[in-house]
Amino acid sequence: MRVEPPITNDTARFQVCAQRQRKVPVLEPGQEQLFRSLWCLDIPIVVEGLHHTMQGSWSPEAIVRTHGAQTVTMFKSGGKASEKLSVARFFREFTKTDADRGYAVKLKDWPPSTSFERDFKQNYNAFMQSVPMPSYARDNGVRNLIAHYAVPPHPFKSLKPDVGPKVYIATPDTPREGSTRLHIDVTCAVNILAWCASEDPNLPAAEWLVFEPKDLEELRRYLRSKQNPDEPPRDPIHSQQIYVTEAMAAELHTRGIRPYQITQRLGDAVFIPAGAAHQVSNVQACIKVACDFLSVEGVVESAKVSADFRREKMPEVLPFETVLWDAWSSLACHAEHMEGRPRSVALTRAQRKNKRQRETPRAQEDYGRRKQLRRASSDTTAMTGYRCPATDCTARHRRFPTLVGVFTHM
């Protein structure tokens, strides 16, 4: 699948710096056209300066105050066993020095279910308002194919994949084992550094190593040569047990593999293309928030990783074919709607009068009561005959009454 990028004046310059010098493009919020022109190239992108606008309470004290009693799993470095404990106790360990603790600690993929929006409502809204390139990264972004996933009516449970946001909290990677070891995500991802120990946006907080999708096969061959022959064979990347050291990176360079090196600072958002193997090592204690998304530019690589997961008998985190089908159905409907939409004309006197009457407080209250009655009656109706909620699309049958994403933009 080839997506033609919208070329800008800066596209060629950033492309040369990225592909020849391995210098990652650094953009500012709002440069979405430039982002689109570079995102087609399967290269990571950094958007800086979000600490100036990002709201929400992301400090350890704020998280303890609101979720201190919640139980989480703390992971320890050095192969030590993980431990279940409260959030408050985790942050007591988190704020200790490495010498006092004796190991690095981290909390990943928290919360483990789709409860971030419900349990962290303020921070969820702050993240969605601040995340750059919203048409890609938001849960209702028109270019996020997952946003078009069909949602059933209450009380039926939605099967929409859990793509975040998730919180990642880790101390400095003093043992150099990797705060997040080498792995590949099925989808694209964006990771925002919301808090760091220094609270200084000029100091490095985390070091990333990102490999291009085209280098995966040679990277796998190299990593397999480093595996213990007595261990059972497994994919060296999907196992998430390897951290690429500086010495290993130098050896990979002799094989023609040059990963992107990214220094993430407070307020930086790192965009990772689908199919790009990557790892993270914290320079200081950090709290990050991340979410996944699926864009047209990453569909081919996402399909490859999804097939890898099946081959390795790993859990299916994304119903890839279903997401594509719902996105196609949603976008096709939207295209038909736009093509058949009549041009706007001036309202007649009678139409203006009716419009004013509908906008009165009493008319709005009546409309709300009728809407509640319709919803109550629909909950007791069998799951048959549901149709698309768009008023000009009532003749077309749909699997569910709501298609999120495009319809929120209509």
Side-chain angles (χ1 to χ4, degrees), residues 217-287:
E217 290 309 312
E218 182 60 30
L219 175 62
R220 279 192 172 98
R221 278 193 288 270
Y222 169 77
L223 294 177
R224 285 194 177 103
S225 69
K226 298 292 184 179
Q227 287 180 321
N228 188 339
D230 297 330
E231 293 182 355
R234 57 182 177 178
D235 188 289
I237 300 177
H238 294 319
S239 65
Q240 300 190 25
Q241 296 299 314
I242 293 178
Y243 177 74
V244 178
T245 64
E246 292 183 5
M248 295 169 69
E251 291 180 1
L252 286 169
H253 187 81
T254 63
R255 294 174 174 240
I257 299 178
R258 296 186 300 150
Y260 293 94
Q261 297 183 14
I262 301 174
T263 299
Q264 188 180 24
R265 296 174 171 83
L266 179 65
D268 284 355
V270 179
F271 282 83
I272 304 298
H278 57 282
Q279 65 181 36
V280 188
S281 176
N282 282 6
V283 178
Q284 53 178 301
C286 297
I287 298 177

Side-chain angles (χ1 to χ4, degrees), residues 1-5 7 15 37 39-42 296-297 300:
M1 179 181 295
R2 177 64 178 168
V3 179
E4 292 299 329
I7 302 299
Q15 181 177 355
S37 69
W39 196 236
C40 300
L41 306 175
D42 287 334
V296 173
E297 296 88 342
V300 172

Side-chain angles (χ1 to χ4, degrees), residues 343-372:
R343 294 186 178 181
S344 59
V345 295
L347 298 178
T348 65
R349 181 181 296 180
Q351 289 172 331
R352 289 197 299 270
K353 181 180 178 181
N354 290 337
K355 185 174 181 294
R356 287 195 299 270
Q357 289 176 344
R358 289 195 302 270
E359 292 173 350
T360 62
R362 183 172 180 178
Q364 293 292 328
E365 291 177 5
D366 290 341
Y367 173 76
R369 283 194 294 270
R370 292 195 301 272
K371 186 175 181 181
Q372 289 180 356

Side-chain angles (χ1 to χ4, degrees), residues 126-370:
F127 176 83
M128 288 301 169
Q129 289 296 323
S130 302
V131 67
M133 315 310 155
S135 68
Y136 283 91
R138 282 186 187 173
D139 58 0
N140 65 348
V142 69
R143 292 189 176 90
N144 181 4
L145 300 184
I146 301 175
H148 304 280
Y149 196 88
V151 177
H154 180 78
F156 298 94
K157 183 179 179 181
S158 172
L159 299 178
K160 184 177 181 180
D162 181 16
V163 292
K166 301 287 186 185
V167 177
Y168 298 81
I169 308 172
T171 55
D173 182 24
T174 307
R176 302 300 291 173
E177 296 179 359
S179 304
T180 301
R181 293 181 179 176
L182 190 68
H183 70 287
I184 304 176
D185 295 322
V186 177
T187 61
C188 311
V190 56
N191 181 296
I192 300 178
L193 205 163
W195 179 91
C196 62
S198 69
E199 300 188 64
D200 186 345
N202 297 314
L203 295 179
E207 301 290 345
W208 292 63
L209 213 59
V210 183
F211 295 85
E212 286 190 295
K214 67 179 182 63
D215 292 332
L216 285 184
E217 290 309 312
E218 182 60 30
L219 175 62
R220 279 192 172 98
R221 278 193 288 270
Y222 169 77
L223 294 177
R224 285 194 177 103
S225 69
K226 298 292 184 179
Q227 287 180 321
N228 188 339
D230 297 330
E231 293 182 355
R234 57 182 177 178
D235 188 289
I237 300 177
H238 294 319
S239 65
Q240 300 190 25
Q241 296 299 314
I242 293 178
Y243 177 74
V244 178
T245 64
E246 292 183 5
M248 295 169 69
E251 291 180 1
L252 286 169
H253 187 81
T254 63
R255 294 174 174 240
I257 299 178
R258 296 186 300 150
Y260 293 94
Q261 297 183 14
I262 301 174
T263 299
Q264 188 180 24
R265 296 174 171 83
L266 179 65
D268 284 355
V270 179
F271 282 83
I272 304 298
H278 57 282
Q279 65 181 36
V280 188
S281 176
N282 282 6
V283 178
Q284 53 178 301
C286 297
I287 298 177
K288 306 170 191 174
V289 57
C291 71
D292 300 334
F293 62 93
L294 179 62
S295 64
V296 173
E297 296 88 342
V299 162
V300 172
E301 295 300 331
S302 291
K304 294 177 183 177
V305 179
S306 183
D308 284 348
F309 277 25
R310 292 195 188 101
R311 190 162 47 249
E312 296 293 323
K313 298 181 180 180
M314 299 172 63
E316 185 179 35
V317 296
L318 181 75
F320 186 72
E321 290 78 9
T322 305
V323 170
L324 292 186
W325 173 260
D326 283 350
W328 178 83
S329 301
S330 177
L331 293 170
C333 173
H334 184 56
E336 292 177 11
H337 164 77
M338 295 303 293
E339 290 174 1
R341 197 175 202 172
R343 294 186 178 181
S344 59
V345 295
L347 298 178
T348 65
R349 181 181 296 180
Q351 289 172 331
R352 289 197 299 270
K353 181 180 178 181
N354 290 337
K355 185 174 181 294
R356 287 195 299 270
Q357 289 176 344
R358 289 195 302 270
E359 292 173 350
T360 62
R362 183 172 180 178
Q364 293 292 328
E365 291 177 5
D366 290 341
Y367 173 76
R369 283 194 294 270
R370 292 195 301 272

